[in-house]
Amino acid sequence: MKYYVTAKDVAKLAGVSQSSVSRVYFEGASVSNKTREKVLAAAKELGYRPNEFARSLITNRTKIIGLVMKGIQNPFYPEVLKQFTAAFKKLGYSILFVSTNNDEIQKEDIDMLRNYNVAGVIITDASLSLNVTEDFKKNQVPLVLFNRKIDNEQFYSVCCNNLNASKKIAGYLIEKGCSDVAYIAGNANTSTSRDREKGFTSIIEKNNVVLNKYTSDYTYEGGYKTAQKIIAEKKVPEGIFVANDIMALGVVDALRENSIKIPIETKVVGFDNIDMASWPTYNLTTWEQPITKMVEQTVNYLMAEMVEFSGYTESIEVNGALIERKTT
């Protein structure tokens, strides 16, 4: 049977009390430099690591951040997970990844986070029901909506400025000479999708450009099938704005399979700037979401709230940029 080094073993070797060992590893606890040095030296010699979960039973806090994500098949979100994991690792925190299969985060997802005494929570592409998150506020656990926002600003949110971005995309397609365009939306229940459609539509209508709207599901297959439908109806426009990159790649493939030349016969613009968008096969023009800045904003807020919970909420919108490639 494998033997695990305990705080008692460290205390014995260091010649101090077990409570002194605990104070060394509890942030903010009072302990002399001499005792700290003795404990750390003994811990290094024995290969001791404090039990984070045992410590959480005493402090009711861990160094774990809960991250809830639904659209793992969308390459945008694994990149988000990667950046959050790296950012929190530098700060001594770990990520508890919760994959949900539902559009709305479920009570069992919330219960899992609570059971692990997470220090903070990030919810990405799942909708939020207020009645299942009240416990977080009650227990002063900070929560951030990432790439999402809710109108009543009950929680802090960080996202790209989707409204202005889509306005600029519309203006860009008009400047490229498009007199008729199509917009392919994702999940209509999200603020992300609503803002992108609202911004794009407002500029298109203001300039009297013909617009057809289609609804898909933020997947490659959804974009591919929607493009096939547009082709079958003989409604291929001069420009197509697709609400995210992975759908846009499906659109590009469907158009090419039907010998429709891009960007001569139609132009395609995506949104996100996932790695695949820059592949030579696609060279997709897209709007780059400023993931690094969005992650940084989220991390800064959570770290501040974990030190001293204020309950402060705000809807932060970060500006991205158009990345022009060969589909336009």
Side-chain angles (χ1 to χ4, degrees):
M1 179 182 292
K2 184 176 181 180
Y3 178 74
Y4 291 94
V5 178
T6 67
K8 186 176 181 180
D9 298 321
V10 175
K12 184 177 179 180
L13 180 60
V16 300
S17 67
Q18 189 171 335
S19 62
S20 293
V21 176
S22 297
R23 286 198 299 273
V24 168
Y25 288 99
F26 284 0
E27 291 179 13
S30 177
V31 61
S32 69
N33 289 335
K34 183 179 179 180
T35 298
R36 184 185 301 278
E37 289 172 3
K38 288 165 69 175
V39 168
L40 293 177
K44 183 177 181 181
E45 183 177 335
L46 294 172
Y48 170 74
R49 291 187 179 184
N51 187 318
E52 192 65 50
F53 291 107
R55 180 166 64 174
S56 74
L57 295 175
I58 301 170
T59 63
N60 202 33
R61 292 185 66 184
T62 63
K63 283 200 164 186
I64 299 173
I65 305 297
L67 194 153
V68 182
M69 186 177 289
K70 176 178 178 287
I72 196 69
Q73 75 281 359
N74 179 354
F76 173 78
Y77 285 107
E79 177 60 26
V80 168
L81 175 59
K82 176 183 175 183
Q83 290 206 27
F84 271 126
T85 301
F88 280 113
K89 185 177 181 180
K90 287 181 180 179
L91 297 168
Y93 285 76
S94 301
I95 292 289
L96 172 63
F97 176 68
V98 178
S99 178
T100 181
N101 295 319
N102 302 282
D103 287 332
E104 184 176 283
I105 187 171
Q106 301 295 295
K107 185 178 183 301
E108 54 265 32
D109 300 322
I110 298 297
D111 288 343
M112 179 182 290
L113 297 171
R114 291 177 60 227
N115 290 341
Y116 277 89
N117 286 334
V118 294
V121 177
I122 302 165
I123 297 177
T124 60
D125 57 337
S127 300
L128 188 65
S129 173
L130 294 181
N131 66 321
V132 299
T133 56
E134 285 306 310
D135 280 345
F136 288 122
K137 283 192 170 183
K138 190 183 302 180
N139 292 294
Q140 299 191 345
V141 177
L143 185 150
V144 178
L145 300 178
F146 186 87
N147 201 32
R148 290 287 183 276
K149 62 181 180 180
I150 51 179
D151 295 335
N152 55 19
E153 292 192 3
Q154 289 286 319
F155 296 96
Y156 194 87
S157 65
V158 179
C159 61
C160 175
N161 193 327
N162 292 292
L163 189 69
N164 286 345
S166 57
K167 285 181 178 180
K168 290 180 179 179
I169 291 169
Y172 173 74
L173 287 175
I174 291 170
E175 288 175 6
K176 284 287 184 176
C178 298
S179 59
D180 68 316
V181 298
Y183 173 68
I184 302 177
N187 185 345
N189 294 325
T190 66
S191 63
T192 302
S193 187
R194 289 194 298 271
D195 282 354
R196 289 175 193 174
E197 180 172 352
K198 182 179 178 181
F200 187 75
T201 300
S202 66
I203 299 301
I204 292 300
E205 290 180 346
K206 188 181 294 184
N207 286 272
N208 298 315
V209 174
V210 177
L211 170 64
N212 284 304
K213 298 179 185 179
Y214 301 87
T215 301
S216 189
D217 59 0
Y218 281 134
T219 67
Y220 173 91
E221 293 78 13
Y224 182 88
K225 289 177 181 177
T226 303
Q228 291 284 18
K229 178 183 178 182
I230 293 171
I231 294 165
E233 293 174 349
K234 300 188 184 304
K235 291 183 178 179
V236 178
E238 294 178 349
I240 304 173
F241 171 37
V242 193
N244 78 345
D245 281 351
I246 197 65
M247 280 198 301
L249 301 186
V251 169
V252 168
D253 283 343
L255 292 170
R256 286 174 173 167
E257 283 182 14
N258 286 272
S259 300
I260 296 170
K261 296 177 181 178
I262 306 169
I264 298 170
E265 295 180 64
T266 187
K267 305 180 193 310
V268 181
V269 179
F271 203 108
D272 284 340
N273 195 31
I274 61 175
D275 287 343
M276 293 170 67
S278 66
W279 288 5
T281 308
Y282 293 107
N283 262 318
L284 177 71
T285 293
T286 184
W287 190 270
E288 181 178 42
Q289 288 221 61
I291 297 179
T292 301
K293 290 182 180 178
M294 291 163 64
V295 166
E296 182 180 312
Q297 188 77 42
T298 302
V299 171
N300 288 344
Y301 170 79
L302 283 177
M303 294 304 297
E305 286 292 289
M306 287 187 293
V307 171
E308 184 176 354
F309 184 84
S310 69
Y312 172 74
T313 65
E314 186 180 356
S315 181
I316 302 296
E317 295 185 316
V318 186
N319 292 323
L322 182 72
I323 306 297
E324 191 170 10
R325 297 193 180 102
K326 293 185 178 179
T327 58
T328 55

